[in-house]
Amino acid sequence: MDFWYSIGSTYSYLTVMRLSALETASGVTIRWRPFDVRHVMVEQNNIPFKDKPIKTAYMWRDIQRRAHRYGLSPEIPAPYPLPGLVLANQIATLGVEEGWVADYTQATYRRWFEGGQPAGQEPNISESLREIGCDPSEVLAAARSERIKDKLAQETEEAMKLGVFGSPTFAVGQEVFWGDDRLEDALLWAKEN
């Protein structure tokens, strides 16, 4: 199953923090697929929370309720939106290649939602990378390369071709499930099909 996500998506916190345990429990192999959700939203003229205070308040309360059910302890509201969204996802794209994407994503979301440090900015970047055993200066140099920028753009285009319009999204072949509340449905579909 492909897990299409963008660091910067608030609801993805709920998925990111429990996905490894669910992968083990379900026996379904999950491939982490970072993409640039901001690009997708702009392309679709879909800015979900900008200038929508009632919807934004609902989102934070909804995340808080769901997080409690999952045993998570976010500090709500977390800093949002993220100016460093693209850089955070460039780092994650490099992490896919180097095998540490899940560890990095979980560390950066934990610092963002539980420590108030925006993902894609310092000190979150360096602290998250050091936590998982990476050298921040080396990772940042590689993540800012044209090759990684291009790779993130390619992944974003692939997500859009598949029909991904938000984060988190789960895909089993061409079957798409959107939202953290569809994670269990996607895992069940992956097991049965």
Coordinates of all heavy atoms in Angstrom, one line a residue, residues 119-171:
A119 N 7.7 22.0 11.5 CA 8.4 21.1 10.6 C 9.0 21.9 9.5 O 8.4 22.9 9.1 CB 7.6 20.0 10.1
G120 N 10.1 21.6 9.0 CA 10.7 22.3 7.8 C 11.5 23.5 8.3 O 11.9 24.3 7.4
Q121 N 11.6 23.8 9.6 CA 12.4 24.9 10.1 C 13.3 24.4 11.2 O 13.1 23.3 11.8 CB 11.4 26.0 10.6 CG 10.5 26.6 9.5 CD 9.6 27.6 10.1 OE1 8.4 27.5 10.0 NE2 10.1 28.7 10.8
E122 N 14.2 25.3 11.6 CA 15.1 25.0 12.7 C 14.3 25.4 14.0 O 13.6 26.4 14.0 CB 16.4 25.7 12.6 CG 17.3 25.2 11.5 CD 17.7 23.8 11.6 OE1 17.5 23.2 12.7 OE2 18.2 23.2 10.6
P123 N 14.5 24.7 15.1 CA 15.4 23.6 15.3 C 14.9 22.2 15.0 O 15.6 21.2 15.1 CB 15.7 23.7 16.8 CG 14.4 24.2 17.4 CD 13.9 25.1 16.4
N124 N 13.6 22.2 14.5 CA 13.0 20.9 14.2 C 13.9 20.1 13.2 O 14.1 18.9 13.5 CB 11.6 21.1 13.7 CG 10.9 19.8 13.5 OD1 11.4 18.8 13.0 ND2 9.6 19.8 13.9
I125 N 14.3 20.7 12.1 CA 15.1 19.9 11.1 C 16.3 19.2 11.7 O 16.5 18.0 11.7 CB 15.5 20.8 10.0 CG1 14.3 21.3 9.2 CG2 16.5 20.1 9.0 CD1 14.6 22.4 8.1
S126 N 17.2 20.0 12.3 CA 18.4 19.5 12.9 C 18.2 18.5 14.0 O 18.8 17.4 14.0 CB 19.4 20.6 13.3 OG 19.8 21.4 12.2
E127 N 17.3 18.8 14.9 CA 17.0 17.9 16.0 C 16.4 16.6 15.5 O 16.8 15.5 16.0 CB 16.1 18.6 17.0 CG 16.8 19.7 17.8 CD 15.9 20.4 18.8 OE1 14.8 20.0 19.0 OE2 16.4 21.4 19.4
S128 N 15.5 16.6 14.6 CA 14.9 15.4 14.1 C 16.0 14.6 13.3 O 16.0 13.3 13.5 CB 13.8 15.7 13.1 OG 12.7 16.3 13.9
L129 N 16.8 15.2 12.5 CA 17.8 14.5 11.8 C 18.8 13.9 12.7 O 19.2 12.7 12.6 CB 18.5 15.4 10.7 CG 17.5 15.7 9.6 CD1 18.2 16.8 8.7 CD2 17.2 14.5 8.7
R130 N 19.3 14.6 13.7 CA 20.2 14.1 14.7 C 19.6 12.9 15.4 O 20.3 11.9 15.7 CB 20.7 15.1 15.7 CG 21.7 16.1 15.1 CD 22.4 16.9 16.2 NE 22.9 18.1 15.6 CZ 22.4 19.3 15.5 NH1 21.2 19.5 16.1 NH2 23.0 20.3 14.9
E131 N 18.4 13.0 15.8 CA 17.7 11.9 16.5 C 17.8 10.6 15.8 O 17.9 9.5 16.4 CB 16.2 12.3 16.8 CG 15.4 11.2 17.5 CD 14.0 11.5 17.6 OE1 13.6 12.7 17.9 OE2 13.1 10.6 17.4
I132 N 17.7 10.7 14.4 CA 17.6 9.4 13.7 C 19.0 9.1 13.1 O 19.2 8.2 12.3 CB 16.6 9.5 12.5 CG1 17.0 10.6 11.5 CG2 15.2 9.7 13.1 CD1 16.2 10.5 10.2
G133 N 20.1 9.8 13.6 CA 21.4 9.4 13.2 C 21.9 10.0 11.9 O 22.9 9.5 11.4
C134 N 21.3 11.1 11.5 CA 21.8 11.8 10.2 C 22.5 13.1 10.5 O 22.2 13.7 11.5 CB 20.6 12.0 9.3 SG 19.8 10.6 8.7
D135 N 23.4 13.5 9.7 CA 24.1 14.7 9.8 C 23.2 15.8 9.1 O 23.0 15.7 7.9 CB 25.5 14.6 9.1 CG 26.2 15.9 9.2 OD1 25.9 16.9 8.4 OD2 27.1 16.1 10.1
P136 N 22.7 16.8 9.9 CA 21.9 17.8 9.3 C 22.5 18.6 8.1 O 21.8 18.8 7.1 CB 21.6 18.7 10.5 CG 21.7 17.9 11.7 CD 22.9 16.9 11.3
S137 N 23.7 18.9 8.2 CA 24.3 19.7 7.1 C 24.4 18.9 5.8 O 24.1 19.4 4.7 CB 25.7 20.3 7.5 OG 26.6 19.3 7.8
E138 N 24.7 17.6 5.9 CA 24.8 16.7 4.8 C 23.4 16.5 4.2 O 23.2 16.6 2.9 CB 25.5 15.4 5.1 CG 26.9 15.5 5.4 CD 27.5 14.2 5.8 OE1 26.9 13.1 5.6 OE2 28.7 14.2 6.3
V139 N 22.5 16.3 5.0 CA 21.1 16.0 4.5 C 20.5 17.2 3.9 O 19.9 17.2 2.8 CB 20.2 15.5 5.7 CG1 18.7 15.5 5.3 CG2 20.6 14.1 6.2
L140 N 20.7 18.4 4.5 CA 20.2 19.6 3.9 C 20.8 19.9 2.6 O 20.1 20.3 1.6 CB 20.3 20.8 4.9 CG 19.3 20.8 6.0 CD1 19.8 21.8 7.1 CD2 17.9 21.1 5.5
A141 N 22.1 19.7 2.4 CA 22.7 20.0 1.1 C 22.1 19.1 0.1 O 21.8 19.5 -1.0 CB 24.2 19.8 1.3
A142 N 22.0 17.8 0.4 CA 21.4 16.9 -0.6 C 19.9 17.1 -0.8 O 19.5 17.1 -2.0 CB 21.6 15.4 -0.1
A143 N 19.2 17.5 0.2 CA 17.7 17.7 0.1 C 17.4 19.0 -0.8 O 16.4 19.0 -1.4 CB 17.1 17.8 1.4
R144 N 18.3 19.9 -0.7 CA 18.2 21.2 -1.5 C 18.7 21.0 -2.9 O 18.6 22.0 -3.7 CB 18.9 22.3 -0.8 CG 18.1 22.7 0.5 CD 18.8 23.9 1.1 NE 18.1 24.5 2.2 CZ 18.5 24.7 3.4 NH1 19.8 24.4 3.7 NH2 17.7 25.2 4.3
S145 N 19.2 19.9 -3.3 CA 19.7 19.7 -4.7 C 18.6 19.7 -5.7 O 17.4 19.4 -5.4 CB 20.5 18.4 -4.8 OG 19.6 17.3 -4.7
E146 N 19.0 20.1 -6.9 CA 18.0 20.1 -8.0 C 17.4 18.7 -8.2 O 16.2 18.5 -8.5 CB 18.6 20.6 -9.3 CG 18.8 22.1 -9.3 CD 17.6 22.9 -8.9 OE1 16.5 22.7 -9.5 OE2 17.7 23.8 -8.0
R147 N 18.2 17.7 -8.0 CA 17.8 16.3 -8.2 C 16.6 15.9 -7.3 O 15.6 15.4 -7.7 CB 19.0 15.3 -8.0 CG 18.6 13.9 -8.3 CD 19.8 13.0 -8.1 NE 20.1 12.8 -6.7 CZ 19.4 12.1 -5.8 NH1 18.4 11.5 -6.2 NH2 19.8 12.1 -4.5
I148 N 16.8 16.3 -6.0 CA 15.7 16.0 -5.0 C 14.5 16.9 -5.3 O 13.4 16.4 -5.2 CB 16.2 16.1 -3.6 CG1 17.3 15.0 -3.3 CG2 15.1 16.1 -2.6 CD1 16.7 13.6 -3.4
K149 N 14.7 18.2 -5.6 CA 13.6 19.0 -6.0 C 12.8 18.4 -7.1 O 11.6 18.4 -7.1 CB 14.1 20.4 -6.3 CG 14.6 21.2 -5.1 CD 15.1 22.6 -5.6 CE 15.8 23.4 -4.5 NZ 16.3 24.6 -4.9
D150 N 13.5 18.0 -8.1 CA 12.9 17.4 -9.3 C 12.1 16.1 -8.9 O 11.0 15.8 -9.4 CB 13.9 17.1 -10.4 CG 14.4 18.3 -11.1 OD1 13.8 19.4 -10.9 OD2 15.4 18.2 -11.8
K151 N 12.7 15.3 -8.0 CA 12.1 14.0 -7.6 C 10.8 14.3 -6.8 O 9.8 13.7 -7.1 CB 13.1 13.3 -6.7 CG 12.5 12.0 -6.2 CD 12.3 10.9 -7.3 CE 11.9 9.6 -6.6 NZ 11.4 8.7 -7.6
L152 N 10.8 15.3 -6.0 CA 9.6 15.7 -5.2 C 8.5 16.2 -6.2 O 7.3 15.8 -6.1 CB 9.8 16.8 -4.2 CG 8.6 17.2 -3.4 CD1 8.0 16.1 -2.6 CD2 9.0 18.3 -2.4
A153 N 8.9 17.0 -7.2 CA 8.0 17.4 -8.2 C 7.4 16.2 -9.0 O 6.2 16.2 -9.3 CB 8.6 18.4 -9.2
Q154 N 8.2 15.3 -9.4 CA 7.8 14.1 -10.1 C 6.8 13.3 -9.2 O 5.8 12.8 -9.7 CB 8.9 13.2 -10.5 CG 9.8 13.8 -11.5 CD 11.2 13.0 -11.7 OE1 11.4 12.0 -11.0 NE2 12.0 13.5 -12.5
E155 N 7.1 13.1 -8.0 CA 6.2 12.4 -7.1 C 4.9 13.1 -6.9 O 3.8 12.5 -6.9 CB 6.9 12.2 -5.7 CG 8.0 11.2 -5.7 CD 7.5 9.8 -5.9 OE1 6.9 9.2 -5.0 OE2 7.8 9.2 -7.0
T156 N 4.9 14.4 -6.9 CA 3.7 15.2 -6.8 C 2.8 15.0 -8.0 O 1.6 14.8 -7.9 CB 4.0 16.7 -6.5 OG1 4.8 16.8 -5.3 CG2 2.8 17.5 -6.4
E157 N 3.5 15.0 -9.2 CA 2.7 14.8 -10.4 C 2.2 13.4 -10.5 O 1.0 13.2 -10.9 CB 3.7 15.0 -11.6 CG 4.0 16.5 -11.9 CD 2.8 17.4 -12.1 OE1 1.8 17.0 -12.8 OE2 2.7 18.5 -11.5
E158 N 2.9 12.4 -10.0 CA 2.4 11.0 -10.0 C 1.2 10.9 -9.1 O 0.2 10.3 -9.4 CB 3.5 10.1 -9.6 CG 3.1 8.6 -9.7 CD 4.2 7.6 -9.4 OE1 5.4 8.0 -9.5 OE2 3.8 6.5 -9.0
A159 N 1.3 11.6 -7.9 CA 0.1 11.6 -7.0 C -1.1 12.2 -7.7 O -2.2 11.6 -7.6 CB 0.5 12.4 -5.7
M160 N -0.9 13.3 -8.3 CA -2.1 13.9 -9.0 C -2.6 13.1 -10.1 O -3.9 13.0 -10.2 CB -1.6 15.3 -9.5 CG -1.4 16.3 -8.4 SD -0.6 17.9 -9.0 CE -1.8 18.5 -10.1
K161 N -1.8 12.4 -10.9 CA -2.3 11.5 -11.9 C -3.1 10.3 -11.3 O -4.1 9.9 -11.9 CB -1.1 10.9 -12.7 CG -0.5 12.0 -13.7 CD 0.6 11.4 -14.4 CE 1.3 12.5 -15.2 NZ 2.6 12.0 -15.8
L162 N -2.7 9.9 -10.1 CA -3.5 8.8 -9.5 C -4.8 9.3 -8.9 O -5.7 8.5 -8.7 CB -2.6 8.3 -8.3 CG -3.2 7.1 -7.5 CD1 -3.4 5.9 -8.4 CD2 -2.2 6.8 -6.3
G163 N -4.9 10.6 -8.7 CA -6.2 11.2 -8.2 C -6.0 11.6 -6.7 O -7.0 11.9 -6.1
V164 N -4.8 11.7 -6.3 CA -4.6 12.2 -4.9 C -4.9 13.7 -4.9 O -4.3 14.5 -5.7 CB -3.1 11.9 -4.5 CG1 -2.8 12.6 -3.1 CG2 -2.9 10.4 -4.4
F165 N -5.7 14.1 -4.0 CA -6.0 15.6 -3.8 C -5.8 16.1 -2.4 O -6.0 17.3 -2.2 CB -7.5 15.8 -4.2 CG -8.5 15.0 -3.5 CD1 -9.0 15.4 -2.2 CD2 -8.9 13.8 -3.9 CE1 -9.9 14.7 -1.5 CE2 -9.8 13.0 -3.2 CZ -10.3 13.5 -2.0
G166 N -5.3 15.3 -1.5 CA -5.1 15.7 -0.2 C -4.2 14.7 0.6 O -3.9 13.6 0.0
S167 N -3.9 15.1 1.8 CA -3.0 14.2 2.6 C -3.6 14.1 4.0 O -4.1 15.1 4.5 CB -1.6 14.9 2.7 OG -0.8 14.3 3.6
P168 N -3.6 12.8 4.5 CA -3.0 11.6 3.9 C -3.9 10.9 2.9 O -5.2 11.0 3.1 CB -2.8 10.7 5.2 CG -3.9 11.1 6.1 CD -4.1 12.6 5.8
T169 N -3.3 10.2 2.0 CA -4.1 9.4 1.1 C -3.3 8.0 1.0 O -2.1 7.9 1.1 CB -4.1 10.0 -0.3 OG1 -4.8 11.2 -0.3 CG2 -4.7 9.1 -1.4
F170 N -4.1 7.0 0.9 CA -3.6 5.6 0.8 C -4.1 5.0 -0.5 O -5.2 5.2 -0.9 CB -4.1 4.8 2.0 CG -4.0 5.5 3.3 CD1 -5.1 6.2 3.8 CD2 -2.8 5.6 3.9 CE1 -5.1 6.9 5.0 CE2 -2.7 6.3 5.1 CZ -3.9 6.9 5.6
A171 N -3.2 4.4 -1.2 CA -3.5 3.8 -2.5 C -3.1 2.3 -2.5 O -2.0 2.0 -2.2 CB -2.8 4.6 -3.6

